[in-house]
Amino acid sequence: MPKEVKKQIIVTGIRPTGDLHIGNYLGAVKPLLQTIEKYPDAEIYIFVADLHGLTDNEAATVAKFRFEVVKDYLALGLDKYINTGRVHLFIQSQIGELVSYLSLFLSRYTTFNDLMRVPTLKEKLRANQTEGQANALLGYYPILMASDILIHNATIGPIGQDQLPHLEKTREFGAKFNAEFGEVFTLPQAHSVENLRILSLKGVGKMSKSHPEGALFLSDSEKLVKQKVSRAETATEGTISPNLESLLTIAKEFNVNTAEFLTDHMAGKQVAGLFKKELCERLADFVVNFQKKRATIADAEVMKIIIDGGRAARINATKTLDIVKNVMKFNYIK
Ligand code: ATP
Ligand code: MG
């Protein structure tokens, strides 16, 4: 008898900490759309991670952006799949008590050392805060993320490169729990586009919502897009730099021919201006079309999508949490 093919369950999220930028689109949303196409029978849970947003943002800011991010997702192409019934778009806090509950159970099987070993935690502590200033959510982040993913029994987690260590932690936490209680959780595979890490247009580090000065936002005007791209850091003629490489990655994704530019540039010719001009045109076209489509999506429609998505997510999450409580022999007294 053929082995039963397991249904794919795709789970992914974005924090509502600002408008989406081109790095979010290329590193997370576009690959997600490709994954949805690749697995026509998959069930897909996409959430706006407002609880994660609280780590380093005011609650009111997060609340303001969560609705906007749903609209962004829809305008970037998710709208096409909503009526298939297999895409569930929701806000994380709609099932907040369920993911928090599971995260508490997972914490029971996680040590302080496990958390301290997360590379992004070390980076963030180095870059922005000391251990005395950072709130505990920063350390808790990987457990909550694991809970978001494991609660839906995800088989695939499409994420950007910077989230790979967190996905690895999710697998680790799930495996630890399974070792204790049997095969409760599915361990998700990361889906990430190799080397697709878009850098800030200025200075070091990746492009981030929380560092708006170097980000190219999908909400930027045509004029601003052109201005930002033309002022983006590149490299002196005849040399290559991480910033230039990142611009080339963006260019390739938008079908700008980079081969000729690169040959001339490496030969010492001053061709960056021409290259940037073409990149500006493509990116400006992209954001203009995105914004036009986004403007046609009604708030009431978005609300309906979120309510339906939240309901589906709740049904699925409740099933998992019930199994977890059963195996732990920790059912509620009702
Ligand atoms: P914040 O600064 O608030 O953390 P962010 O820009 O890092 O915002 P997230 O919401 O943390 O965005 O991440 C959403 C998704 O986008 C994740 O899958 C993440 O890996 C991906 N992503 C974020 N920034 C980039 C980038 N510069 N290049 C490629 N992918 C990215
Ligand atoms: Mg981030």
Side-chain angles (χ1 to χ4, degrees), residues 274-292:
L274 256 172
F275 163 67
K276 280 180 163 181
K277 194 164 179 289
E278 195 180 345
L279 184 57
C280 279
E281 294 300 332
R282 299 282 167 91
L283 284 170
D285 275 358
F286 180 77
V287 297
V288 166
N289 286 331
F290 162 78
Q291 288 166 17
K292 264 192 204 148

PDB file of all heavy atoms in Angstrom, residues 274-292:
ATOM      1  N   LEU A 274      23.108  54.615 -14.402  1.00  0.00           N
ATOM      2  CA  LEU A 274      22.224  53.998 -15.406  1.00  0.00           C
ATOM      3  C   LEU A 274      21.468  52.800 -14.821  1.00  0.00           C
ATOM      4  O   LEU A 274      20.263  52.646 -15.027  1.00  0.00           O
ATOM      5  CB  LEU A 274      23.073  53.481 -16.561  1.00  0.00           C
ATOM      6  CG  LEU A 274      23.070  54.318 -17.844  1.00  0.00           C
ATOM      7  CD1 LEU A 274      24.108  53.781 -18.814  1.00  0.00           C
ATOM      8  CD2 LEU A 274      21.685  54.331 -18.471  1.00  0.00           C
ATOM      9  N   PHE A 275      22.230  52.000 -14.092  1.00  0.00           N
ATOM     10  CA  PHE A 275      21.650  50.808 -13.457  1.00  0.00           C
ATOM     11  C   PHE A 275      20.542  51.211 -12.488  1.00  0.00           C
ATOM     12  O   PHE A 275      19.431  50.669 -12.504  1.00  0.00           O
ATOM     13  CB  PHE A 275      22.768  50.033 -12.737  1.00  0.00           C
ATOM     14  CG  PHE A 275      22.282  49.044 -11.727  1.00  0.00           C
ATOM     15  CD1 PHE A 275      21.579  47.907 -12.114  1.00  0.00           C
ATOM     16  CD2 PHE A 275      22.539  49.226 -10.368  1.00  0.00           C
ATOM     17  CE1 PHE A 275      21.139  46.990 -11.175  1.00  0.00           C
ATOM     18  CE2 PHE A 275      22.104  48.312  -9.430  1.00  0.00           C
ATOM     19  CZ  PHE A 275      21.398  47.199  -9.822  1.00  0.00           C
ATOM     20  N   LYS A 276      20.849  52.225 -11.681  1.00  0.00           N
ATOM     21  CA  LYS A 276      19.869  52.650 -10.688  1.00  0.00           C
ATOM     22  C   LYS A 276      18.626  53.225 -11.352  1.00  0.00           C
ATOM     23  O   LYS A 276      17.512  53.086 -10.844  1.00  0.00           O
ATOM     24  CB  LYS A 276      20.481  53.702  -9.765  1.00  0.00           C
ATOM     25  CG  LYS A 276      21.363  53.103  -8.681  1.00  0.00           C
ATOM     26  CD  LYS A 276      21.906  54.215  -7.835  1.00  0.00           C
ATOM     27  CE  LYS A 276      22.453  53.735  -6.521  1.00  0.00           C
ATOM     28  NZ  LYS A 276      22.951  54.864  -5.715  1.00  0.00           N
ATOM     29  N   LYS A 277      18.840  53.884 -12.491  1.00  0.00           N
ATOM     30  CA  LYS A 277      17.706  54.500 -13.190  1.00  0.00           C
ATOM     31  C   LYS A 277      16.689  53.409 -13.576  1.00  0.00           C
ATOM     32  O   LYS A 277      15.490  53.556 -13.364  1.00  0.00           O
ATOM     33  CB  LYS A 277      18.202  55.249 -14.427  1.00  0.00           C
ATOM     34  CG  LYS A 277      17.201  56.176 -15.027  1.00  0.00           C
ATOM     35  CD  LYS A 277      17.864  57.163 -15.980  1.00  0.00           C
ATOM     36  CE  LYS A 277      16.846  58.090 -16.598  1.00  0.00           C
ATOM     37  NZ  LYS A 277      15.968  57.450 -17.561  1.00  0.00           N
ATOM     38  N   GLU A 278      17.208  52.313 -14.137  1.00  0.00           N
ATOM     39  CA  GLU A 278      16.307  51.238 -14.539  1.00  0.00           C
ATOM     40  C   GLU A 278      15.641  50.593 -13.323  1.00  0.00           C
ATOM     41  O   GLU A 278      14.430  50.328 -13.331  1.00  0.00           O
ATOM     42  CB  GLU A 278      17.081  50.183 -15.344  1.00  0.00           C
ATOM     43  CG  GLU A 278      16.112  49.268 -16.071  1.00  0.00           C
ATOM     44  CD  GLU A 278      16.787  48.188 -16.894  1.00  0.00           C
ATOM     45  OE1 GLU A 278      17.999  48.295 -17.143  1.00  0.00           O
ATOM     46  OE2 GLU A 278      16.071  47.236 -17.267  1.00  0.00           O
ATOM     47  N   LEU A 279      16.432  50.408 -12.265  1.00  0.00           N
ATOM     48  CA  LEU A 279      15.878  49.818 -11.042  1.00  0.00           C
ATOM     49  C   LEU A 279      14.777  50.711 -10.455  1.00  0.00           C
ATOM     50  O   LEU A 279      13.719  50.230 -10.029  1.00  0.00           O
ATOM     51  CB  LEU A 279      17.015  49.603 -10.030  1.00  0.00           C
ATOM     52  CG  LEU A 279      16.650  48.903  -8.731  1.00  0.00           C
ATOM     53  CD1 LEU A 279      16.018  47.539  -8.985  1.00  0.00           C
ATOM     54  CD2 LEU A 279      17.877  48.735  -7.840  1.00  0.00           C
ATOM     55  N   CYS A 280      15.031  52.031 -10.477  1.00  0.00           N
ATOM     56  CA  CYS A 280      14.024  53.001  -9.988  1.00  0.00           C
ATOM     57  C   CYS A 280      12.709  52.821 -10.730  1.00  0.00           C
ATOM     58  O   CYS A 280      11.644  52.773 -10.116  1.00  0.00           O
ATOM     59  CB  CYS A 280      14.479  54.432 -10.294  1.00  0.00           C
ATOM     60  SG  CYS A 280      15.646  55.085  -9.138  1.00  0.00           S
ATOM     61  N   GLU A 281      12.792  52.711 -12.057  1.00  0.00           N
ATOM     62  CA  GLU A 281      11.572  52.600 -12.875  1.00  0.00           C
ATOM     63  C   GLU A 281      10.779  51.356 -12.483  1.00  0.00           C
ATOM     64  O   GLU A 281       9.576  51.416 -12.271  1.00  0.00           O
ATOM     65  CB  GLU A 281      11.916  52.500 -14.378  1.00  0.00           C
ATOM     66  CG  GLU A 281      12.555  53.749 -14.973  1.00  0.00           C
ATOM     67  CD  GLU A 281      11.662  54.983 -14.869  1.00  0.00           C
ATOM     68  OE1 GLU A 281      10.426  54.816 -14.855  1.00  0.00           O
ATOM     69  OE2 GLU A 281      12.220  56.107 -14.781  1.00  0.00           O
ATOM     70  N   ARG A 282      11.479  50.222 -12.394  1.00  0.00           N
ATOM     71  CA  ARG A 282      10.783  48.959 -12.079  1.00  0.00           C
ATOM     72  C   ARG A 282      10.155  49.009 -10.692  1.00  0.00           C
ATOM     73  O   ARG A 282       9.015  48.579 -10.510  1.00  0.00           O
ATOM     74  CB  ARG A 282      11.748  47.775 -12.133  1.00  0.00           C
ATOM     75  CG  ARG A 282      12.386  47.533 -13.465  1.00  0.00           C
ATOM     76  CD  ARG A 282      11.415  46.840 -14.431  1.00  0.00           C
ATOM     77  NE  ARG A 282      11.983  46.915 -15.772  1.00  0.00           N
ATOM     78  CZ  ARG A 282      12.777  45.991 -16.293  1.00  0.00           C
ATOM     79  NH1 ARG A 282      13.054  44.913 -15.599  1.00  0.00           N
ATOM     80  NH2 ARG A 282      13.274  46.133 -17.497  1.00  0.00           N
ATOM     81  N   LEU A 283      10.913  49.517  -9.732  1.00  0.00           N
ATOM     82  CA  LEU A 283      10.400  49.542  -8.363  1.00  0.00           C
ATOM     83  C   LEU A 283       9.241  50.527  -8.230  1.00  0.00           C
ATOM     84  O   LEU A 283       8.247  50.249  -7.556  1.00  0.00           O
ATOM     85  CB  LEU A 283      11.513  49.896  -7.377  1.00  0.00           C
ATOM     86  CG  LEU A 283      12.499  48.767  -7.091  1.00  0.00           C
ATOM     87  CD1 LEU A 283      13.704  49.279  -6.309  1.00  0.00           C
ATOM     88  CD2 LEU A 283      11.819  47.652  -6.298  1.00  0.00           C
ATOM     89  N   ALA A 284       9.378  51.672  -8.903  1.00  0.00           N
ATOM     90  CA  ALA A 284       8.295  52.664  -8.844  1.00  0.00           C
ATOM     91  C   ALA A 284       7.031  52.077  -9.460  1.00  0.00           C
ATOM     92  O   ALA A 284       5.939  52.212  -8.891  1.00  0.00           O
ATOM     93  CB  ALA A 284       8.725  53.941  -9.560  1.00  0.00           C
ATOM     94  N   ASP A 285       7.155  51.385 -10.595  1.00  0.00           N
ATOM     95  CA  ASP A 285       5.984  50.740 -11.218  1.00  0.00           C
ATOM     96  C   ASP A 285       5.342  49.760 -10.244  1.00  0.00           C
ATOM     97  O   ASP A 285       4.129  49.715 -10.097  1.00  0.00           O
ATOM     98  CB  ASP A 285       6.418  49.897 -12.432  1.00  0.00           C
ATOM     99  CG  ASP A 285       6.521  50.742 -13.681  1.00  0.00           C
ATOM    100  OD1 ASP A 285       6.220  51.949 -13.585  1.00  0.00           O
ATOM    101  OD2 ASP A 285       6.926  50.190 -14.725  1.00  0.00           O
ATOM    102  N   PHE A 286       6.199  48.995  -9.575  1.00  0.00           N
ATOM    103  CA  PHE A 286       5.700  47.980  -8.653  1.00  0.00           C
ATOM    104  C   PHE A 286       4.900  48.617  -7.519  1.00  0.00           C
ATOM    105  O   PHE A 286       3.770  48.213  -7.244  1.00  0.00           O
ATOM    106  CB  PHE A 286       6.853  47.146  -8.094  1.00  0.00           C
ATOM    107  CG  PHE A 286       6.414  46.079  -7.138  1.00  0.00           C
ATOM    108  CD1 PHE A 286       5.844  44.901  -7.606  1.00  0.00           C
ATOM    109  CD2 PHE A 286       6.545  46.261  -5.767  1.00  0.00           C
ATOM    110  CE1 PHE A 286       5.423  43.922  -6.716  1.00  0.00           C
ATOM    111  CE2 PHE A 286       6.123  45.284  -4.876  1.00  0.00           C
ATOM    112  CZ  PHE A 286       5.554  44.112  -5.354  1.00  0.00           C
ATOM    113  N   VAL A 287       5.480  49.635  -6.871  1.00  0.00           N
ATOM    114  CA  VAL A 287       4.762  50.225  -5.727  1.00  0.00           C
ATOM    115  C   VAL A 287       3.494  50.956  -6.184  1.00  0.00           C
ATOM    116  O   VAL A 287       2.472  50.897  -5.504  1.00  0.00           O
ATOM    117  CB  VAL A 287       5.630  51.144  -4.815  1.00  0.00           C
ATOM    118  CG1 VAL A 287       6.755  50.394  -4.161  1.00  0.00           C
ATOM    119  CG2 VAL A 287       6.131  52.358  -5.510  1.00  0.00           C
ATOM    120  N   VAL A 288       3.550  51.601  -7.342  1.00  0.00           N
ATOM    121  CA  VAL A 288       2.359  52.316  -7.829  1.00  0.00           C
ATOM    122  C   VAL A 288       1.222  51.311  -8.068  1.00  0.00           C
ATOM    123  O   VAL A 288       0.084  51.517  -7.632  1.00  0.00           O
ATOM    124  CB  VAL A 288       2.686  53.136  -9.108  1.00  0.00           C
ATOM    125  CG1 VAL A 288       1.413  53.598  -9.802  1.00  0.00           C
ATOM    126  CG2 VAL A 288       3.581  54.314  -8.758  1.00  0.00           C
ATOM    127  N   ASN A 289       1.525  50.212  -8.744  1.00  0.00           N
ATOM    128  CA  ASN A 289       0.491  49.200  -9.002  1.00  0.00           C
ATOM    129  C   ASN A 289      -0.020  48.579  -7.705  1.00  0.00           C
ATOM    130  O   ASN A 289      -1.220  48.363  -7.545  1.00  0.00           O
ATOM    131  CB  ASN A 289       1.039  48.089  -9.907  1.00  0.00           C
ATOM    132  CG  ASN A 289       1.163  48.589 -11.325  1.00  0.00           C
ATOM    133  OD1 ASN A 289       0.420  49.469 -11.763  1.00  0.00           O
ATOM    134  ND2 ASN A 289       2.154  48.069 -12.042  1.00  0.00           N
ATOM    135  N   PHE A 290       0.901  48.334  -6.781  1.00  0.00           N
ATOM    136  CA  PHE A 290       0.514  47.775  -5.478  1.00  0.00           C
ATOM    137  C   PHE A 290      -0.449  48.727  -4.773  1.00  0.00           C
ATOM    138  O   PHE A 290      -1.506  48.321  -4.281  1.00  0.00           O
ATOM    139  CB  PHE A 290       1.774  47.538  -4.633  1.00  0.00           C
ATOM    140  CG  PHE A 290       1.494  47.374  -3.164  1.00  0.00           C
ATOM    141  CD1 PHE A 290       1.012  46.179  -2.661  1.00  0.00           C
ATOM    142  CD2 PHE A 290       1.719  48.433  -2.277  1.00  0.00           C
ATOM    143  CE1 PHE A 290       0.745  46.030  -1.306  1.00  0.00           C
ATOM    144  CE2 PHE A 290       1.454  48.287  -0.929  1.00  0.00           C
ATOM    145  CZ  PHE A 290       0.961  47.082  -0.430  1.00  0.00           C
ATOM    146  N   GLN A 291      -0.084  50.002  -4.748  1.00  0.00           N
ATOM    147  CA  GLN A 291      -0.920  50.972  -4.018  1.00  0.00           C
ATOM    148  C   GLN A 291      -2.294  51.136  -4.677  1.00  0.00           C
ATOM    149  O   GLN A 291      -3.303  51.288  -3.992  1.00  0.00           O
ATOM    150  CB  GLN A 291      -0.199  52.314  -3.932  1.00  0.00           C
ATOM    151  CG  GLN A 291       0.975  52.257  -2.960  1.00  0.00           C
ATOM    152  CD  GLN A 291       1.929  53.439  -3.074  1.00  0.00           C
ATOM    153  OE1 GLN A 291       1.598  54.474  -3.643  1.00  0.00           O
ATOM    154  NE2 GLN A 291       3.136  53.280  -2.552  1.00  0.00           N
ATOM    155  N   LYS A 292      -2.321  51.072  -6.010  1.00  0.00           N
ATOM    156  CA  LYS A 292      -3.610  51.186  -6.719  1.00  0.00           C
ATOM    157  C   LYS A 292      -4.515  50.024  -6.323  1.00  0.00           C
ATOM    158  O   LYS A 292      -5.680  50.205  -6.014  1.00  0.00           O
ATOM    159  CB  LYS A 292      -3.361  51.112  -8.237  1.00  0.00           C
ATOM    160  CG  LYS A 292      -3.267  52.459  -8.909  1.00  0.00           C
ATOM    161  CD  LYS A 292      -3.323  52.276 -10.399  1.00  0.00           C
ATOM    162  CE  LYS A 292      -2.669  53.459 -11.074  1.00  0.00           C
ATOM    163  NZ  LYS A 292      -2.016  53.121 -12.335  1.00  0.00           N
TER     164      LYS A 292
END
